[in-house]
Structures are given as structure tokens and as C-alpha cells.
Amino acid sequence: MLDSLLGLTELLQGMILITLAVSLKSLQPQCTPDGGCAAATRQQVAFFYGALYTMAIGAGGTKPNISTFGADQFDDFDAREREVKASFFNWWMFSSFTGGLVAVLVLVFVQENVGWGVGYTIPTVGLALSLLFYVGTPFYRHEPVQRDTAASPARLVGRVFSEAFVNRRRRLPSDAAELQEHETAWYTAAGKRRLHHTRAFRVLGRAALRSDTRRLLPCTVTEVEEVKLIIGMIVVWLSTLVPCTIWAQVNTLFVKQGTTLDRSMGGVRIPAASLGSFITISMLLSIPVYDRVLVPLVRRRTGNPRGITLLQRLGIGCAFQVLVVACAYLVEVRRMRVIRERSVHHAGDTVAMSIFWMLPQYVLLGVDDVFNSVGILEFFYYQSPDGMRSLGTTFFTSGLGVGNFLNSLLVTLVDRATRGRESAGKSWIGDNLNDSHLDYCHVFLLLLSVLNMALFVWVAMRYKYKREFLEVEHPESEIAGGQESGKLTEAPLTINGAQPPV
């Protein structure tokens, strides 16, 4: 809670600085009435970039924590709250994309027709008002993890690996009960959940071997399993980088392709980047259908509270990514055919083909977000070790950032590798798309998507879901065999969306 408050405060400071940068003339380059502007001074550039970096730092402290904190408000032991929680991330992403759509349709209009200062003042005031939600801090639910029981991920990983290396020549017992582990009461007092021993990454299991000769206690089974979860999440995260890279094409190749097409509609010239709003609209329409129609239908057949498992949802997202790239390729093939028929080869020439031919790939990308974007966020939240769920949502946000970086790197490498290969010296994605081979680039992205989907399926088939023991305090009437009232009992739970908590 404190992390998100500090992040939101930092984000608000960045928004205030940005608003000042577009409002005060002393912070802007001097312009003449004829439209010419002088270069910005070093102080103006430093102020502007300082505001942007302040916002980035604030977003880094806010985004990974708010969604996690919202999901933590639901009680896993309450049947009704548990059912609602299964839909939380669907509607969390719905609200996030709704805000983005308002920003694109309303705030951009205000900025261009009223003024940049007013356009930035509105979200700044809204962000300041959001601080009022922190007044309810005493009434929110907080994870009761004690500081002395929650090691940092880096420290935990280092300890488990070092202990496993020390015991590398020792054999693992056949019975997991012989490994080091705390009693159930210890986890209950610490507000943590004990993890079930798994056979994945067996070499790390040696970190929990007991020893009579060493003074330091070995790692517990739960600590070892937490490290296994982190490793498993990293592997899945790596397989999501290609989908994140494909998504980044929206702001690069898709826009560049759209600028060459006929963008007129009713006498109005449509900006090529405006088609990105159809991704948001498609997603906003698809989420209610998925959550209220598809999930209940599939749930009746599978018995899964979410209809499908976490990795099955991501797998469907990977399949939609392949369809998106295939659709983009077919559109590009038609565009090049029109170019040959009309002899349109010069830069800046408009191809006699409506930009709305690109609409299907944007719509499919919006549907894909229901499975991919929401699925990634949901997967990393539920599979994160206890007390490290903010780390899980960090995987989601970092994947988007790395995807944008890889997209820029990919475009640069493809351009350099293909430039000069033909007699005309044209690149696959040169400055003049009317005389390039963007279709080759789409074929390359299609092959990359298919290979990544195959890799994801291979990883998903070998992934071991998080298995917890829930320590539940039952009243006397609920305990069979005459057990004492309030006695702790254990219930195994597999966190894959297939088995609800008990």
C-alpha cells in the first residue's frame, strides 16, 4: 500500500511538471508568428525530460502494486469473493483500457482544440483526486506477511542456489518429509502459506537437505519451491516477449503501412495511428463476452472456475498473435498488388486502397489482448511466491517494455540486413514502403510467431503449477472425528485455475 502511495505521489509530481512545461512560455521554445520556433534551451530540455523520468519512476512504483493490491482485497476462503476474484483482472484491464480510450478520444481533442495546458490539467486533477482513495487505508485488507519472514527475491534465490551447490554431492531422500520444513503453526503465525514439494528442478531440492554438521539451518521446502516458481515464471516470461514485440508493431510497421493507404472518409483525412483505437474498442467489447458468456459455458464442461487454465488462456493468445500477423501479411500482399497494377512506386504516393483493409488485424489484436495481456497479468499474480505478487505484476509491465525495445531493435536489424541486397538497394522496411518488401518482413514475423507458439506449448506442457497448503481454522461443527474446535487442518491447492481453494 505504501509503495503504491509513494508511486502515485511521484506520478502526480511528474504530471504537474509536464503541465507546467506545456503551460508556461518560459519553459517552451520561443516561436514567431509565422510558425518558426527556436531550438529549446538546455534548461527547457532538462525540465521536460526530468518531468518524463519522474512520471516513469512513479508509474514503476504504482502499476505493479495497484492491481496486486486490488486482487488481495478478495478473501480466498469466501466462496462468493473467490468467484468474483476470478474475474478481477478482466475488469481491471477493462477499466484501464477505458481510461486509455477516453484519453485518445477526449483529451487529445481538448489538447488540439482548447489548449495543451488544459488538456494536461484535466488528468493531473483527476490523478490528485485519486489520492482520496488512500483515506480508506484502515478499511482495506492487507497481506499479513511479517518483514522477517519475507526475504527479497534476489537474496532468496542466492541462498537456495548456494545451499544446493554445497549439497550437490548428496542424494535426495525418497520421502519429502525428510527435508527441512517449518511446522504448520509457524506459517499460520507468519501469515504465509506452505508450498507443496514438487519434482521440478530437482537439483534445487538439495538446498533443503538437513545436516547435523552444519550450524546454519538449511532452506525450507517452501523457500526452495518459491525459487522454482521464480525460475518457472522467468521461462514463461521469456516466451511472452515475442507476443509483446508483435503488439509493438502497432506503433511502428502498422502505422507506417497505414500512411501509404487511402485515409479519406467523408472528406476527412484519418490519421493512420487512429486505427489503434479499434484495438481498445475491440477489447472493451470482447471482455464482457469472454467473462459473462464464454467462461460460464466452458466452466460447465471443465469445472474450472475460470473456464480454462492460466496457460491455456495464454496459449490461445499466442494463436491469435499468429492470426494477427497472417492478416497483416495478406493485407500487405494486396497492397503490393495494387502498387503493381497502378504503378505507384514513389514515396508519398497514396495507394488506391482504403486504410480500413487494416481494420481486421486491429480488431483481432484487441481480442488477443483479452487472452494475452489479461492472461499474462493473471498468470504472474497467481504463480508468484507468497509475499512477492508485486514481483509477478512487474514481469507483466517489464515484458511490455522489453517488447517495445525488441521491436525497435528488430526493425533496425532487419533494415540493415536487407538494405542493398537487391539491385535497387531497397530494404524490406525502407523509407519508401511503396518500393520495399514489407511482405517479407511480415513473413518473418509470422514464422517467429509460429515458432514462439510452439515453444510456448512445449514450456506449458512441462510447467508445474503452484501448489499450496491452506491452513484453515475450522469451527467444531465442521470437523469430523471429534477434533477440537479451532484446530488447524491442511488442504492442498493447485493454483492453475482448475481447483478452487477449500
Side-chain angles (χ1 to χ4, degrees):
M1 185 67 176
L2 180 60
D3 293 338
S4 58
L5 175 59
L6 293 176
L8 189 60
T9 304
E10 191 80 12
L11 186 60
L12 178 60
Q13 292 175 1
M15 285 297 299
I16 293 174
L17 294 177
I18 285 289
T19 304
L20 292 175
V22 299
S23 302
L24 301 180
K25 291 186 177 180
S26 60
L27 298 175
Q28 303 172 17
Q30 298 299 319
C31 297
T32 59
D34 60 0
C37 294
T41 64
R42 290 185 177 181
Q43 291 79 5
Q44 292 170 344
V45 173
F47 186 90
F48 181 73
Y49 278 100
L52 292 179
Y53 281 114
T54 301
M55 290 180 60
I57 294 173
T62 304
K63 288 187 176 182
N65 290 298
I66 290 185
S67 59
T68 300
F69 185 76
D72 288 343
Q73 300 308 298
F74 298 93
D75 186 2
D76 285 335
F77 299 99
D78 184 275
R80 174 57 184 164
E81 292 191 28
R82 188 169 63 241
E83 180 181 353
V84 175
K85 184 177 181 178
S87 300
F88 170 77
F89 287 105
N90 293 330
W91 297 106
W92 163 263
M93 196 65 73
F94 182 90
S95 63
S96 298
F97 271 67
T98 301
L101 185 63
V102 172
V104 171
L105 299 180
V106 179
L107 293 182
V108 172
F109 176 83
V110 172
Q111 289 168 356
E112 293 186 354
N113 295 274
V114 180
W116 287 90
V118 177
Y120 275 98
T121 299
I122 294 174
T124 301
V125 172
L127 194 61
L129 292 176
S130 68
L131 291 172
L132 294 175
F133 285 99
Y134 288 91
V135 176
T137 298
F139 306 100
Y140 296 139
R141 288 172 176 162
H142 302 271
E143 286 293 323
V145 179
Q146 299 177 4
R147 292 184 180 274
D148 58 344
T149 62
S152 67
R155 182 180 178 183
L156 179 62
V157 171
R159 183 165 179 258
V160 169
F161 270 82
S162 62
E163 288 291 328
F165 179 77
V166 170
N167 298 327
R168 62 188 182 280
R169 300 186 185 281
R170 298 179 60 188
R171 296 185 62 182
L172 284 169
S174 57
D175 187 1
E178 298 179 20
L179 299 174
Q180 177 69 20
E181 185 58 286
H182 293 303
E183 296 293 333
T184 298
W186 186 93
Y187 286 101
T188 304
K192 298 184 66 176
R193 294 176 181 176
R194 186 160 66 91
L195 295 181
H196 191 278
H197 174 70
T198 63
R199 298 181 63 84
F201 304 109
R202 294 187 72 245
V203 65
L204 296 180
R206 292 185 173 88
L209 290 174
R210 296 172 179 170
S211 176
D212 297 331
T213 59
R214 300 189 64 196
R215 299 178 63 181
L216 295 177
L217 288 176
C219 299
T220 63
V221 170
T222 296
E223 289 175 329
V224 173
E225 293 302 319
E226 286 178 341
V227 173
K228 292 180 182 180
L229 286 175
I230 294 175
I231 296 174
M233 288 194 302
I234 292 175
V235 174
V236 174
W237 179 79
L238 291 173
S239 67
T240 64
L241 292 183
V242 170
C244 290
T245 304
I246 299 298
W247 203 98
Q249 305 299 321
V250 173
N251 301 316
T252 53
L253 295 185
F254 286 7
V255 173
K256 195 171 183 179
Q257 184 182 26
T259 56
T260 67
L261 302 178
D262 182 10
R263 293 177 280 150
S264 60
M265 185 183 68
V268 179
R269 189 173 176 83
I270 303 172
S274 64
L275 257 65
S277 60
F278 284 96
I279 298 177
T280 304
I281 295 173
S282 174
M283 183 183 187
L284 294 180
L285 294 176
S286 299
I287 284 182
V289 175
Y290 175 83
D291 190 79
R292 299 303 181 188
V293 179
L294 294 181
V295 170
L297 287 176
V298 180
R299 183 190 298 153
R300 295 192 187 101
R301 297 181 61 88
T302 64
N304 189 319
R306 295 180 180 83
I308 54 179
T309 64
L310 302 175
L311 289 177
Q312 285 174 344
R313 184 172 189 172
L314 290 179
I316 295 174
C318 289
F320 267 102
Q321 287 275 340
V322 175
L323 292 178
V324 168
V325 181
C327 186
Y329 167 73
L330 294 176
V331 171
E332 179 59 20
V333 169
R334 189 183 191 282
R335 191 186 74 91
M336 296 193 68
R337 187 178 68 188
V338 174
I339 288 175
R340 290 192 298 268
E341 293 174 352
R342 303 296 180 90
S343 298
V344 180
H345 298 291
H346 300 291
D349 290 346
T350 300
V351 180
M353 174 179 169
S354 174
I355 192 174
F356 289 104
W357 276 91
M358 298 181 65
L359 192 59
Q361 63 200 59
Y362 282 94
V363 173
L364 285 173
L365 203 52
V367 178
D368 168 71
D369 278 339
V370 177
F371 295 93
N372 229 333
S373 296
V374 184
I376 291 173
L377 184 60
E378 187 178 42
F379 172 83
F380 286 124
Y381 172 82
Y382 283 104
Q383 294 301 300
S384 296
D386 201 20
M388 299 184 192
R389 283 172 176 163
S390 293
L391 172 67
T393 50
T394 301
F395 275 103
F396 167 71
T397 53
S398 63
L400 297 177
V402 174
N404 280 276
F405 172 78
L406 291 177
N407 173 59
S408 300
L409 180 63
L410 182 66
V411 169
T412 302
L413 293 178
V414 169
D415 181 50
R416 290 182 179 178
T418 59
R419 188 181 297 276
R421 279 183 170 271
E422 301 182 25
S423 58
K426 54 187 179 181
S427 164
W428 288 3
I429 46 178
D431 295 332
N432 180 13
L433 276 192
N434 293 336
D435 194 33
S436 299
H437 274 295
L438 187 59
D439 55 335
Y440 292 173
C441 186
H442 283 317
V443 170
F444 173 74
L445 292 176
L446 183 60
L447 292 175
L448 193 63
S449 300
V450 172
L451 291 176
N452 182 78
M453 185 174 68
L455 174 65
F456 177 83
V457 171
W458 184 83
V459 171
M461 292 178 64
R462 288 157 178 78
Y463 183 82
K464 301 298 181 182
Y465 282 102
K466 179 180 179 181
R467 298 187 64 195
E468 292 179 341
F469 281 104
L470 299 186
E471 285 75 36
V472 187
E473 186 173 359
H474 294 279
E476 184 175 3
S477 60
E478 294 182 2
I479 300 179
Q483 297 177 346
E484 296 180 0
S485 175
K487 183 173 181 179
L488 293 171
T489 60
E490 294 180 344
L493 166 66
T494 302
I495 312 296
N496 63 353
Q499 181 181 348
V502 294

